[in-house]
Amino acid sequence: SPIRTSLPTTAELQGNFVGAHTINEPGTKTPFPGNVIPASLITPDGKAIGNVYTRVTGLAAAFNNSPVANNAIFQTPNPLNYREDLVRLDYRINQKHTLYGRFVDDYNNIYLAYGSGSASSSYIPVAPEYRNRPADGVVLSETWLVSPSIVNEAHVGGTWNGQRYQDIGNYGDRSTYGFTFPLVYNPVGAYPNGMPDMNIQNFEQWKGPDQTLVSPITNIEFNDSVSIVHGQHSIKLGAAVIRYRKDQNGRSYYDGDAIFNTGGGNPYSTGYALADALMGNFQTYNEAAYDPMGHYRYTEPAAFIDDSWKVSRKLSVDLGMRWEYMMSLYSAADNLAEFVPSMYNPAQAVKLDSKGNVIPGSGNIYNGLQRVGNGVSPGLAYLVPNATSPAVLGVPAGAPRGMYPSQNAWEPRIGLAYALNDKTVIRAGGGLYYDRMQGNPTMYTLNNPPYVGSSQYLYANLSNITGGATASAPWGTIQTIDPNLKTPYSEQISFGIQRELPKKLFAEVDYVGTFGRHLLVEPDINQPSFAVLAAAPTSAKINTLRPFAGYSTIQQFISEGTSNYHALQASVSHRAGNLYFTGAYTFSKNLSDASSDTANNYDYFNIHAMYGPAYSGNSGSSIDVRHAFVGTLVWTLPTLRGYNRMLRAPLGGWQLSSIIHLQSGFYYTVTGTSAGPLTVSRMADYVGGSGVLPNPGANGWFNPAAFAAAPQGRWGTTGSGNVEGPGMQIYNLSLTRFFNIRKDGSVNLRFRADFMNAFNCVNFRSPLTSITTQGFGTITSAYPPRQIQFGMKLAF
């Protein structure tokens, strides 16, 4: 799909902003004469930034050389080359033993024009990559018929996934565009001469080759299971061991990362970020000493037993228990560190000036950090260039290798089915299901100090990043894990009745409940309290108010989230004759305060303030739908046999199929933040009156006057998911007809006509829910209108 981005105009890249924006002399309110930057002030690195935009302008499918938003359209190729080789072995050793083997060799690579490991509209296509993913898998199993009632299955398998990204050509090199600024460190990484990452306010950012991912994975598994039939019992028990290995780089900013933004009190800004970039005057600059590599590992043993018991002709019961040892993920090199609040010593805290900058030498910049294990493993010390430096050794060790406890997971299961009569069955079941946490919470800590030396500077020029009166900013975002983290799990229950009805109908009604416990969320534990925010002046810098001075955001994974899903599910179906149809209706409520395992838009002091209709991700995309109906239909129309051929040929033998989707609206949270230090998205205040408009539509879905921005001193009062969005109705129809060209059917022609959203119903997308957004309360987009397509297929 085309991706729209914002690029500078040709005149702007030459420093000419006539008629576009007022450009002041740096740090003043005096405009440049004619609104043109003198050529002598455009630095070599500013010209290099311009060269990047000039290059990608030539790659655009369309470019409007005017200073307007989204003035470029990119539609880049992403060819995928794929090959798969399969080898299979089936060997019957004797009457009791059978051997099965399988080997799979996959190879694929894909061109990613946007680089950085993903094709995304977040970046412009600067440094393209090939994603190289050779994947191999081998399985060998043996089945042993011990006796007519006992069967043993042994299995060993392994998979390897390369997942390596490679920057191609010289598009990502500094020299290609003319970057000359000296780096703070002597970079260590796959692309030490790579171009820097850049983020220029109001223009599309780019990522250089230092963000290229290398992530080979190996999984090895052994398991054995025994099936036993004894009387009315069918018993299965077994055990397994999984060994997981993943080597992944941290993708730190070892080639440099510059941010050009007019906010934050930049004393050298012209008032327009692109002009600042042309002169090299950045707001923030980040650089890491090297690209770290984590060798992540865990071993997970498991065992289970299950008994399917035929109690009587009418009653069947399933009983089961599964045990898993959830070993926490660790790095074999022990090159990880985390922030531990209890180890933070206020007496050693750094001092900050009024702008939130660290005063050099004023305290311990590593205050509160702890290294895992007893230091870097000697056999993998080559991964950590500064493993023995005084700065690293000055940070205490001793944190658990996995940073959170390994845990035993006991998972009971029960199910039953009872036949009331020949046409009615009652079913019920329940179970406990644990979820191994994904690796990212641990992998995110790889870039933490002190192992990855890094520097951040404010308000200077690229030609002299560390010079002048520039003070170091607090550490960038620190990722950490609660040392008391618990493994997430869900409790699942169901109860239902199935009934065979007259006229070949089958009906089912079920109650389904799923309850998530200890779900992961990732709040900023370095948030100032609302009491501190209320007492602070509006102009205060957020970093001067944080409880852990010297740090900015500290995102800690904690297992405090919860979710509750209740649903009534009813369905009816008919599967006989010329008419097949199903109809399914769900009435449900899905409430949660955990939108995803990386959600971080929380009030850390009251996580459960976000409890409400469930949504997904920090953006607040709702997943709670109270009413939903889905119907399907396949109707083979009469062939008109016996009618005149002129009538039978065009009109007989058609097949009509349809899918109908009806649902009520998603739920959304109105957000709004008043001016002040805390700028993260928060719930707005409900100020009274009706929040619903009499005739909601695209120009006004809810009443904006009922909401106001929340003050700095507290969370908003609206509650989570307080606005219901538009519903949806979609009717898809298809007509199909086979024409036999030869009487024996060996050659036939199929004609098909598809009508998506056949009745052209208008289905609005979500309303704008941020008070600070222009058009708040309105809807700016809709799902696709009616689309019609025709197809013909000749089979012979």
Side-chain angles (χ1 to χ4, degrees):
S1 299
I3 295 176
R4 297 178 179 272
T5 60
S6 297
L7 299 181
T9 66
T10 303
E12 288 177 324
L13 294 178
Q14 297 169 353
N16 185 343
F17 294 86
V18 175
H21 307 277
T22 300
I23 309 301
N24 299 318
E25 296 181 9
T28 73
K29 298 295 183 181
T30 304
F32 280 113
N35 221 28
V36 177
I37 301 173
S40 60
L41 296 183
I42 298 179
T43 66
D45 295 301
K47 293 178 181 178
I49 293 172
N51 291 338
V52 174
Y53 282 120
T54 299
R55 174 184 179 270
V56 298
T57 298
L59 300 175
F63 174 64
N64 177 10
N65 198 18
S66 301
V68 295
N70 294 321
N71 61 341
I73 299 176
F74 292 93
Q75 191 160 7
T76 59
N78 58 336
L80 170 65
N81 297 315
Y82 179 83
R83 171 174 172 159
E84 181 179 69
D85 299 304
L86 303 172
V87 178
R88 172 170 171 156
L89 168 70
D90 291 282
Y91 179 59
R92 185 178 181 184
I93 302 173
N94 53 44
Q95 291 184 342
K96 290 183 176 290
H97 294 274
T98 302
L99 195 65
Y100 166 78
R102 180 182 174 94
F103 173 76
V104 180
D105 178 46
D106 285 341
Y107 178 85
N108 67 82
N109 59 54
I110 185 170
Y111 170 72
L112 300 172
Y114 295 91
S116 306
S118 65
S120 168
S121 60
S122 299
Y123 315 119
I124 54 176
V126 175
E129 298 175 351
Y130 267 106
R131 180 175 67 182
N132 178 8
R133 297 188 64 176
D136 298 312
V138 61
V139 173
L140 184 63
S141 64
E142 194 259 359
T143 302
W144 175 22
L145 185 61
V146 182
S147 71
S149 60
I150 302 176
V151 178
N152 185 87
E153 294 179 271
H155 169 99
V156 59
T159 60
W160 300 265
N161 188 338
Q163 195 165 334
R164 292 175 174 87
Y165 298 76
Q166 299 169 335
D167 192 60
I168 60 174
N170 61 354
Y171 298 112
D173 293 350
R174 285 166 57 98
S175 58
T176 299
Y177 307 98
F179 286 102
T180 61
F181 70 88
L183 296 173
V184 177
Y185 300 96
N186 183 20
V188 178
Y191 303 95
N193 298 311
M195 64 188 297
D197 302 347
M198 289 282 171
N199 189 333
I200 301 175
Q201 185 181 20
N202 296 323
F203 294 95
E204 213 65 59
Q205 61 181 311
W206 73 73
K207 296 291 185 182
D210 60 8
Q211 298 301 290
T212 301
L213 175 68
V214 176
S215 185
I217 303 171
T218 301
N219 277 303
I220 302 172
E221 179 181 357
F222 302 90
N223 68 59
D224 188 89
S225 62
V226 180
S227 300
I228 303 171
V229 177
H230 180 71
Q232 295 176 301
H233 296 269
S234 294
I235 302 170
K236 190 168 185 177
L237 65 158
V241 178
I242 298 173
R243 178 63 174 174
Y244 173 87
R245 300 164 56 92
K246 181 175 185 177
D247 298 345
Q248 181 168 299
N249 65 326
R251 290 179 288 176
S252 64
Y253 297 117
Y254 62 88
D255 285 329
D257 171 58
I259 299 173
F260 297 90
N261 193 304
T262 59
N266 187 346
Y268 306 112
S269 178
T270 63
Y272 193 59
L274 178 62
D276 295 345
L278 293 177
M279 290 186 283
N281 295 327
F282 60 80
Q283 181 205 53
T284 308
Y285 177 86
N286 303 280
E287 187 180 316
Y290 68 97
D291 187 24
M293 175 67 75
H295 285 201
Y296 302 105
R297 309 287 187 265
Y298 71 75
T299 301
E300 182 176 327
F304 74 93
I305 183 170
D306 178 81
D307 182 10
S308 295
W309 179 19
K310 184 69 173 179
V311 180
S312 67
R313 187 179 63 85
K314 291 189 173 184
L315 177 63
S316 296
V317 177
D318 281 276
L319 298 171
M321 175 66 76
R322 181 177 180 84
W323 167 81
E324 294 178 271
Y325 181 65
M326 299 288 189
M327 176 184 285
S328 55
L329 186 70
Y330 65 93
S331 174
D334 286 332
N335 56 336
L336 305 178
E338 62 177 338
F339 181 84
V340 183
S342 62
M343 298 188 67
Y344 182 85
N345 185 355
Q348 297 180 3
V350 300
K351 306 296 183 183
L352 293 97
D353 60 24
S354 60
K355 295 181 179 180
N357 303 327
V358 174
I359 299 174
S362 62
N364 178 11
I365 60 174
Y366 301 120
N367 194 0
L369 292 175
Q370 186 179 24
R371 295 179 292 140
V372 303
N374 297 317
V376 175
S377 303
L380 295 173
Y382 68 91
L383 294 174
V384 189
N386 61 342
T388 59
S389 71
V392 169
L393 297 179
V395 175
R401 298 186 79 190
M403 291 183 279
Y404 60 91
S406 300
Q407 297 165 42
N408 290 295
W410 295 94
E411 304 168 79
R413 320 282 169 83
I414 184 172
L416 62 87
Y418 181 72
L420 288 176
N421 51 50
D422 292 342
K423 294 186 177 182
T424 307
V425 177
I426 297 175
R427 300 182 187 275
L432 204 60
Y433 301 83
Y434 281 81
D435 180 28
R436 164 167 284 281
M437 290 175 288
Q438 61 154 312
N440 282 339
T442 300
M443 297 172 188
Y444 287 158
T445 66
L446 182 63
N447 287 322
N448 282 349
Y451 286 120
V452 183
S454 63
S455 297
Q456 185 180 82
Y457 296 92
L458 300 176
Y459 317 137
N461 192 278
L462 286 175
S463 62
N464 189 16
I465 294 169
T466 62
T470 301
S472 296
W475 290 113
T477 298
I478 295 291
Q479 301 280 353
T480 190
I481 302 176
D482 181 1
N484 299 311
L485 196 76
K486 297 178 180 179
T487 303
Y489 68 88
S490 67
E491 303 163 348
Q492 301 182 20
I493 58 174
S494 64
F495 176 83
I497 300 175
Q498 297 175 324
R499 172 73 177 179
E500 182 181 342
L501 302 175
K503 305 294 184 181
K504 307 290 187 181
L505 294 174
F506 180 81
E508 182 173 357
V509 179
D510 297 281
Y511 162 76
V512 175
T514 301
F515 315 109
R517 300 294 181 260
H518 300 311
L519 306 180
L520 293 189
V521 293
E522 192 189 9
D524 176 11
I525 65 172
N526 205 19
Q527 293 177 17
S529 69
F530 281 121
V532 170
L533 288 167
T538 302
S539 59
K541 302 302 179 184
I542 188 68
N543 286 339
T544 64
L545 306 176
R546 296 184 182 276
F548 303 115
Y551 296 93
S552 52
T553 300
I554 302 177
Q555 291 184 184
Q556 184 182 63
F557 283 94
I558 61 177
S559 48
E560 295 293 329
T562 188
S563 67
N564 295 292
Y565 174 78
H566 301 271
L568 171 67
Q569 301 175 352
S571 65
V572 63
S573 62
H574 180 276
R575 299 183 180 277
N578 292 332
L579 181 63
Y580 287 63
F581 69 81
T582 62
Y585 167 73
T586 300
F587 170 59
S588 64
K589 182 176 286 189
N590 190 358
L591 303 178
S592 178
D593 52 26
S595 61
S596 75
D597 55 2
T598 56
N600 52 43
N601 55 337
Y602 284 92
D603 171 14
Y604 172 60
F605 307 101
N606 184 11
I607 296 295
H608 301 300
M610 292 298 293
Y611 188 79
Y615 61 96
S616 175
N618 290 317
S619 62
S621 301
S622 177
I623 55 175
D624 182 29
V625 177
R626 297 295 163 83
H627 303 277
F629 172 81
V630 176
T632 65
L633 169 72
V634 178
W635 183 17
T636 302
L637 300 175
T639 60
L640 302 181
R641 182 174 298 176
Y643 284 79
N644 183 282
R645 181 175 180 179
M646 297 298 293
L647 183 65
R648 183 177 70 248
L651 301 179
W654 287 89
Q655 186 180 81
L656 173 66
S657 57
S658 174
I659 299 176
I660 301 172
H661 185 135
L662 310 174
Q663 72 174 51
S664 56
F666 296 113
Y667 289 83
Y668 300 93
T669 301
V670 176
T671 60
T673 302
S674 57
L678 186 62
T679 59
V680 297
S681 177
R682 290 182 287 138
M683 295 178 189
D685 272 353
Y686 172 68
V687 297
S690 174
V692 180
L693 295 174
N695 298 299
N699 294 326
W701 189 259
F702 56 85
N703 181 14
F707 306 96
Q712 288 285 304
R714 58 174 172 78
W715 203 252
T717 61
T718 57
S720 179
N722 54 301
V723 173
E724 184 178 358
M728 184 182 299
Q729 49 180 331
I730 299 175
Y731 304 88
N732 295 332
L733 302 176
S734 293
L735 279 172
T736 305
R737 171 72 193 274
F738 285 89
F739 298 91
N740 286 328
I741 297 177
R742 298 189 61 174
K743 290 183 179 181
D744 61 2
S746 59
V747 180
N748 62 72
L749 181 70
R750 187 187 73 172
F751 171 80
R752 181 180 177 119
D754 297 313
F755 303 83
M756 282 71 73
N757 192 6
F759 303 128
N760 206 27
C761 300
V762 179
N763 294 296
F764 292 121
R765 293 182 182 267
S766 60
L768 300 175
T769 55
S770 174
I771 289 176
T772 58
T773 301
Q774 184 177 3
F776 167 59
T778 65
I779 296 175
T780 60
S781 62
Y783 291 96
R786 176 173 52 222
Q787 298 179 13
I788 303 174
Q789 67 180 21
F790 300 98
M792 298 186 73
K793 180 178 180 180
L794 177 66
F796 58 91

